[in-house]
């Protein structure tokens, strides 16, 4: 005689008709992470750790103080989409941090960022503008016409030395050339005034060129507007490094760290790269222009994934001057910048047809077997998805206009479940191995650290070859009670609060299509229906 037994529990696959689901797949899997095969409750978020002080709904959170072991210190937060990167700076003791999305690109560090209670309290523009005017130059001293003169050109740059780090601007326009005989000196003047606003300038650097190469002459305080050059040629320093540097554009977005000291960002269809280990310098010669407007960026090892309104691109290389662009043949646009998550050696994002995964081992829609286009759009309104990595899982939140909630996709097993938690922002703290979440009321909590949430798991439709009546059932669980509901031909025929692992009787009902639904907070290892106690005992 037939029996129904489920010993391994899985997630949902709405694209598959309920009777064609695999043995352990579900029609409903809410708040039950089935990724190890048994049924278990999803832990709720922790109690609130603190309330973020900014007025409005948090959309971005970031834990500053990465070297501090703390859940509460120190939370940068914004009510807009902001991308934050810690600086790749040798010997940095101030935790220089850079971000885009809150006005122009910005830089901050501990003494600035933590100078108030609403973090970050203050920041600098990321970069320095080039001086606008050339220096005025004049030769002083007596010329010796028996000697051969040296033809010189001068330029200068702005410098900010602050908290163990320094910015240097692109150079000023070249000065007029002057012929200088041995024994003569050059007065370099009219060096202009420092840029205003939030820029900070502490020094100027003077460079001179003979034969077309600018070499370092000296550094003077920013308050000095002139300098007399008496430096011998053999005492000149390094070549001007910033000849081709630029400030990042004021509309730069999507800041992301890459290996080898690089950072990347985008503006429209253009992808920008900074000079390695110089996050304030963004040479125009490093720009890569694409066919489609960029939505957001991700990373896979040394590869930058560029997600656009059209196809994805991969930009590969170890230095910005030699990056190669590969255009994907997968026509899957990114519909939500905040859905982009880089983890597990891959980049996952929300596309019109489902979750798209870019990976060196193969790319494609990883939810293609679970949802069709209409289901994906109706369930989740994918343009609203924002997501984060946790334990090799894609943890997402959505607002489809009718309901707010979320889902979890496990990269290892391919299982997909829903949950009823709705956060507005999140931050994966690698150092703490925690996912922190912010909510509409500005509270901050930790994912997966609260009390067990009640779950609902509903089986596939088990279709019998003929009308059948099941007379008994059994649920193997870690603890009890839990609730079992039994359906025949789409109708609920029995609800039972299961008190123990002992078998129990079902009412005398018959049908061809049978389903079971389990709800509660207990771990469940198997559920079985049979036509007799003997069959139930034999498994």
């Amino acid at each position: 005689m037939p029996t129904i037994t489920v010993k391994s529990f899985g997630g949902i696959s709405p694209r598959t008709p309920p009777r064609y689901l695999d043995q352990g797949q579900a029609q409903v899997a809410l708040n039950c992470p089935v990724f190890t095969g048994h049924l278990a409750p999803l832990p709720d978020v922790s109690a609130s750790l603190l309330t973020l002080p900014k007025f409005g709904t948090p959309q971005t959170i970031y834990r500053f103080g990465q070297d501090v072991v703390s859940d509460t210190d120190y939370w940068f937060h914004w009510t807009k989409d902001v991308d934050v990167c810690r600086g790749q700076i040798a010997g940095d003791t101030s935790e220089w941090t850079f971000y885009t999305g809150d006005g122009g690109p910005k830089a901050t560090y501990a003494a600035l960022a933590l100078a108030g209670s609403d973090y970050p309290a203050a920041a600098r523009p990321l970069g320095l503008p080039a001086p606008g005017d050339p220096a005025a130059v004049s030769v002083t001293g007596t010329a010796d016409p028996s000697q051969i003169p040296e033809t010189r050109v001068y330029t200068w740059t702005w410098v900010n030395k602050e908290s163990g780090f320094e910015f240097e601007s692109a150079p000023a326009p070249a000065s007029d050339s002057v012929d200088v005989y041995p024994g003569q000196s050059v007065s370099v003047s009219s060096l202009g005034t420092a840029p205003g606003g939030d820029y900070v300038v502490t020094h100027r650097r003077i460079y001179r060129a003979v034969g077309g190469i600018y070499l370092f002459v000296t550094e003077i305080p920013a308050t000095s507007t002139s300098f007399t050059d008496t430096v011998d040629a053999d005492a000149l320093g390094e070549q001007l490094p910033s000849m081709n540097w630029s400030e990042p554009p004021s509309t730069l977005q999507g800041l992301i760290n890459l290996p080898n000291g690089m950072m990347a960002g985008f503006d429209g269809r253009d992808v920008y790269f900074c000079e390695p280990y110089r996050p304030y310098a963004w040479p125009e010669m490093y720009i890569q222009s694409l066919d489609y407007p960029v939505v957001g960026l991700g990373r896979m090892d040394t590869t930058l994934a560029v997600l656009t309104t059209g196809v994805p691109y991969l930009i590969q290389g170890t230095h910005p001057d030699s990056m190669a662009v590969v255009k994907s043949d997968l026509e899957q646009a990114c519909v939500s910048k905040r859905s982009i998550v880089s983890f597990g050696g891959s980049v996952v994002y929300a596309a019109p047809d489902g979750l798209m995964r870019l990976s060196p081992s193969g790319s494609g829609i990883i939810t293609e077997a679970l949802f069709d286009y209409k289901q994906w759009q109706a369930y989740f309104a994918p343009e609203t998805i924002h997501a984060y990595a946790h334990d090799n899982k894609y943890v997402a939140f959505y607002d489809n206009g009718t309901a707010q909630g979320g889902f979890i996709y496990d990269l290892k097993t391919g299982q997909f479940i829903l949950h009823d938690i709705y956060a507005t922002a999140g931050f994966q703290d690698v150092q703490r191995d925690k996912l922190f979440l912010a909510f509409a009321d500005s509270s901050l909590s930790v994912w997966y650290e609260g009390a067990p949430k009640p779950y609902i798991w509903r089986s596939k439709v088990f279709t019998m070859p003929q009308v059948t009546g099941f007379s008994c059932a059994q649920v193997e669980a870690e603890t009890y009670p839990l609730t079992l509901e039994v359906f025949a031909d789409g109708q609920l025929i029995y609800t039972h609060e299961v008190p123990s692992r002992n078998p129990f009787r079902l009412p005398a009902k018959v049908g061809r299509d049978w389903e079971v639904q389990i709800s509660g907070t207990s771990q469940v290892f198997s559920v079985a229906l049979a036509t007799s106690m003997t069959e139930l005992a034999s498994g």
Side-chain angles (χ1 to χ4, degrees):
M1 297 296 289
T3 60
I4 292 173
T5 304
V6 178
K7 293 184 177 180
S8 181
F9 297 84
I12 62 171
S13 177
R15 184 167 193 160
T16 307
R19 69 176 57 200
Y20 295 131
L21 290 170
D22 291 340
Q23 184 79 3
Q25 281 186 294
Q27 297 181 72
V28 178
L30 176 67
N31 295 334
C32 49
V34 293
F35 312 121
T36 57
H38 69 284
L39 199 55
L42 177 74
D44 204 345
V45 299
S46 71
S48 176
L49 301 174
L50 53 85
T51 298
L52 301 169
K54 279 191 176 71
F55 178 78
T57 301
Q59 287 196 44
T60 304
I61 57 174
Y62 173 86
R63 193 176 74 82
F64 186 80
Q66 292 287 296
D67 299 327
V68 177
V69 179
S70 173
D71 288 349
T72 56
D73 293 331
Y74 303 91
W75 285 100
F76 287 9
H77 58 289
W78 294 268
T79 58
K80 59 187 74 173
D81 180 23
V82 175
D83 294 284
V84 190
C85 292
R86 182 172 182 173
Q88 301 178 65
I89 300 168
D92 179 21
T93 59
S94 298
E95 198 168 341
W96 277 91
T97 300
F98 312 104
Y99 57 94
T100 56
D102 185 21
K106 291 183 172 61
T108 193
Y109 58 91
L112 275 180
L114 307 182
S117 58
D118 186 355
Y119 307 137
R124 305 273 185 254
L126 179 55
L128 289 172
D133 299 315
V137 291
S138 60
V139 180
T140 60
T142 303
D144 182 354
S146 67
Q147 301 291 323
I148 298 174
E150 180 181 76
T151 301
R152 299 180 185 174
V153 176
Y154 286 83
T155 191
W156 58 284
T157 64
W158 293 118
V159 175
N160 177 28
K161 292 186 175 183
E162 187 174 8
S163 195
F165 188 52
E166 63 180 45
F167 294 54
E168 184 171 10
S169 74
S175 72
D176 292 336
S177 62
V178 289
D179 290 333
V180 184
Y181 286 87
Q184 289 185 313
S185 59
V186 178
S187 174
V188 183
S189 60
S190 300
L191 296 181
T193 58
D198 294 327
Y199 290 107
V200 173
V201 173
T202 60
H203 296 82
R204 308 169 195 256
R205 286 185 183 152
I206 313 297
Y207 296 87
R208 83 182 190 217
V210 177
I213 298 176
Y214 284 108
L215 299 177
F216 176 75
V217 178
T218 191
E219 183 176 272
I220 61 176
T223 53
S224 299
T225 58
S226 64
F227 166 73
T228 299
D229 180 12
T230 60
V231 178
D232 291 336
D234 58 4
L236 296 176
E238 67 173 357
Q239 184 174 335
L240 170 67
S242 61
M243 178 61 75
N244 297 311
W245 293 356
S246 302
E247 284 186 279
S250 62
T251 49
L252 189 74
Q253 302 178 61
L255 199 65
I256 189 171
N257 266 337
L258 296 172
N260 303 314
M262 295 186 292
M263 292 199 306
F266 69 90
D267 182 23
R269 293 187 300 112
D270 298 329
V271 180
Y272 288 73
F273 296 90
C274 77
E275 190 70 25
Y277 301 104
R278 289 184 165 93
Y280 51 85
W282 297 74
E284 292 184 3
M285 62 185 179
Y286 294 161
I287 297 172
Q288 299 282 355
S289 295
L290 308 178
D291 297 342
Y292 300 95
V294 180
V295 176
L297 306 176
R299 62 180 171 270
M300 299 179 290
D301 300 323
T302 59
T303 299
L304 178 69
V306 184
L307 298 323
T308 74
T309 59
V311 301
Y313 295 76
L314 301 178
I315 302 182
Q316 302 165 323
T318 58
H319 193 281
D321 65 3
S322 58
M323 305 299 273
V325 180
V326 178
K327 183 178 180 180
S328 173
D329 58 359
L330 298 167
E331 296 182 354
Q332 288 296 331
C334 178
V335 297
S336 170
K337 175 177 174 291
R338 298 178 72 207
S339 74
I340 301 169
V341 181
S342 304
F343 71 119
S346 61
V347 175
V348 179
Y349 65 92
D353 293 330
L355 278 186
M356 177 72 181
R357 184 185 187 187
L358 300 176
S359 167
S361 60
S363 301
I365 297 292
I366 53 177
T367 56
E368 186 173 19
L370 307 180
F371 297 89
D372 61 28
Y373 172 84
K374 289 184 178 179
Q375 290 169 332
W376 176 252
Q377 293 286 330
Y379 269 73
F380 304 117
E383 67 277 4
T384 72
I385 291 173
H386 60 101
Y388 313 91
H390 183 68
D391 288 345
N392 210 37
K393 298 173 180 61
Y394 185 89
V395 180
F397 304 87
Y398 67 89
D399 180 353
N400 64 19
T402 302
Q404 295 177 327
F407 63 83
I408 305 172
Y409 180 84
D410 181 48
L411 282 186
K412 182 177 180 180
T413 65
Q415 299 293 343
F416 190 108
I417 69 157
L418 302 176
H419 63 80
D420 59 9
I421 299 168
Y422 183 72
T424 62
F427 174 71
Q428 183 198 13
D429 191 330
V430 177
Q431 191 241 33
R432 306 285 290 128
D433 193 24
K434 293 182 179 182
L435 173 59
F436 291 89
L437 299 174
F439 297 85
D441 63 358
S442 295
S443 64
L444 184 78
S445 297
V446 183
W447 172 259
Y448 228 70
E449 287 200 356
K453 290 182 66 65
Y455 61 75
I456 300 174
W457 186 91
R458 185 162 178 167
S459 73
K460 64 169 288 181
V461 173
F462 294 89
T463 299
M464 301 295 109
Q466 58 189 16
V467 173
T468 302
F470 291 102
S471 64
C472 53
Q474 184 178 28
V475 180
E476 293 276 359
E478 183 73 25
T479 59
Y480 299 88
L482 56 88
T483 300
L484 176 72
E485 295 175 85
V486 180
F487 298 80
D489 294 336
Q491 301 297 312
L492 176 64
I493 64 167
Y494 188 55
T495 300
H496 181 60
E497 187 175 274
V498 183
S500 70
R501 66 186 300 176
N502 296 328
F504 52 90
R505 293 289 182 182
L506 298 177
K509 301 287 185 178
V510 295
R512 286 198 63 192
D513 296 331
W514 291 81
E515 306 159 66
V516 295
Q517 180 167 295
I518 304 172
S519 56
T521 58
S522 302
Q523 293 188 52
V524 176
F525 309 111
S526 69
V527 58
L529 306 183
T531 57
S532 70
M533 289 292 184
T534 302
E535 288 179 348
L536 202 60
S538 64

